[in-house]
Amino acid sequence: MGADVRQVADGTYLVHGSNTNWVILTDGDAVTLVDTGYPGDRRLLLDSLAAVGSSPEAVTAVLITHAHNDHLGSAEYLRAAHGTPVLLHEAEVPHARRDFLQQVSVGTVLRNAWRPGVLPWMVHVLRSGGTEQHPVTAPAPFPSDGALDLPGRPVPVHTPGHTDGHCAYHLPDAGVVISGDALVSGHAIGRTRGPQLLPDMFHHDRAGTLASLGVLAGLDGDVLLPGHGPVHRGPVKEAALLARERAA
């Protein structure tokens, strides 16, 4: 089964991997890749690049929303094999190197194993390499403020809470917000559909995650591309406020 690649705007594609999304921004053959899925998603990742007429060699940079294993999976592979820069918020750079780990512990997951959907999700995580560590040897902070000189011209937006250096990416001209795990539209262990926060156990700082919904609410856009769940269409402000209401 191939990658689930969906064009959501001009030159903008949301790819559904195995429980985690990534985004491809195109400019001719060149692309910016936002997140990379689980380590076990590599074949899907490579297939998704081919599906938009590109290749690993044409990836100008990998942007990471945050350095959890289900988003960082193939970043080091692309850096080592193709020299692809891996860029993150400066607060997330040491996290990508695995100087520390701000991720839900196995013990916390096991204590929540009674919740519906958690055990099947755990099995999927193990099969997808989600407990492996694939640190990025030489991650780099964004080279400048504002729009990055990359395909799609994404603008990093610091949205801490899920991790300290979590970043969303705003595409103002396209009206698109790539929200990572700061705001999602579904999750394998969730029962809610539409804009929401991930279950509490996944956030390093839940209060910070709630506060970052206010940052997302200030972004102009009507297409939300989350780290988990389907594309959400409608004002991003309303989506962020709904997620905050649901989390209250």
Side-chain angles (χ1 to χ4, degrees), residues 120-156:
W121 172 77
M122 286 173 61
V123 171
H124 174 81
V125 168
L126 292 170
R127 288 177 173 169
S128 302
T131 58
E132 301 169 6
Q133 298 299 333
H134 294 267
V136 179
T137 304
F142 305 123
S144 61
D145 293 334
L148 300 173
D149 186 18
L150 298 170
R153 301 281 297 168
V155 180

Side-chain angles (χ1 to χ4, degrees), residues 106-120:
V106 173
T108 296
V109 172
L110 290 174
R111 286 194 295 275
N112 284 271
W114 60 272
R115 298 181 184 276
V118 171
L119 281 174

Side-chain angles (χ1 to χ4, degrees), residues 79-99:
R79 190 206 65 78
H82 302 286
T84 315
V86 178
L87 306 179
L88 314 89
H89 187 274
E90 62 182 358
E92 200 71 1
V93 166
H95 194 197
R97 286 196 304 255
R98 287 296 180 260
D99 295 355

Side-chain angles (χ1 to χ4, degrees), residues 13-246:
Y13 300 84
L14 179 66
V15 187
H16 298 291
S18 59
N19 286 354
T20 305
N21 303 332
W22 56 88
V23 176
I24 301 172
L25 307 176
T26 64
D27 182 359
D29 292 339
V31 304
T32 301
L33 182 62
V34 184
D35 287 343
T36 66
Y38 280 103
D41 285 342
R42 184 168 303 160
R43 175 44 55 192
L44 292 176
L45 180 73
L46 298 178
D47 287 349
S48 70
L49 291 170
V52 302
S54 190
S55 66
E57 294 83 1
V59 178
T60 307
V62 175
L63 303 181
I64 298 296
T65 58
H66 64 295
H68 281 168
N69 295 343
D70 56 334
H71 297 259
L72 196 67
S74 286
E76 174 62 11
Y77 162 77
L78 290 168
R79 190 206 65 78
H82 302 286
T84 315
V86 178
L87 306 179
L88 314 89
H89 187 274
E90 62 182 358
E92 200 71 1
V93 166
H95 194 197
R97 286 196 304 255
R98 287 296 180 260
D99 295 355
F100 54 81
L101 184 62
Q102 294 180 341
Q103 187 158 314
V104 63
S105 69
V106 173
T108 296
V109 172
L110 290 174
R111 286 194 295 275
N112 284 271
W114 60 272
R115 298 181 184 276
V118 171
L119 281 174
W121 172 77
M122 286 173 61
V123 171
H124 174 81
V125 168
L126 292 170
R127 288 177 173 169
S128 302
T131 58
E132 301 169 6
Q133 298 299 333
H134 294 267
V136 179
T137 304
F142 305 123
S144 61
D145 293 334
L148 300 173
D149 186 18
L150 298 170
R153 301 281 297 168
V155 180
V157 180
H158 190 205
T159 45
H162 186 65
T163 65
D164 287 346
H166 188 288
C167 239
Y169 296 95
H170 187 205
L171 313 178
D173 293 343
V176 171
V177 174
I178 303 167
S179 57
D181 284 4
L183 173 60
V184 302
S185 61
H187 189 267
I189 69 171
R191 292 296 173 263
T192 303
R193 295 175 181 268
Q196 60 190 282
L197 291 183
L198 287 171
D200 288 354
M201 69 175 174
F202 292 119
H203 300 300
H204 176 67
D205 172 13
R206 186 179 185 273
T209 308
L210 278 170
S212 284
L213 288 174
V215 175
L216 292 170
L219 300 179
D220 186 26
D222 54 14
V223 179
L224 181 74
L225 306 183
H228 302 272
V231 58
H232 177 79
R233 296 187 183 274
V236 171
K237 179 177 182 178
E238 292 182 9
L241 294 178
L242 176 58
R244 187 159 65 187
E245 181 182 310
R246 286 173 161 174

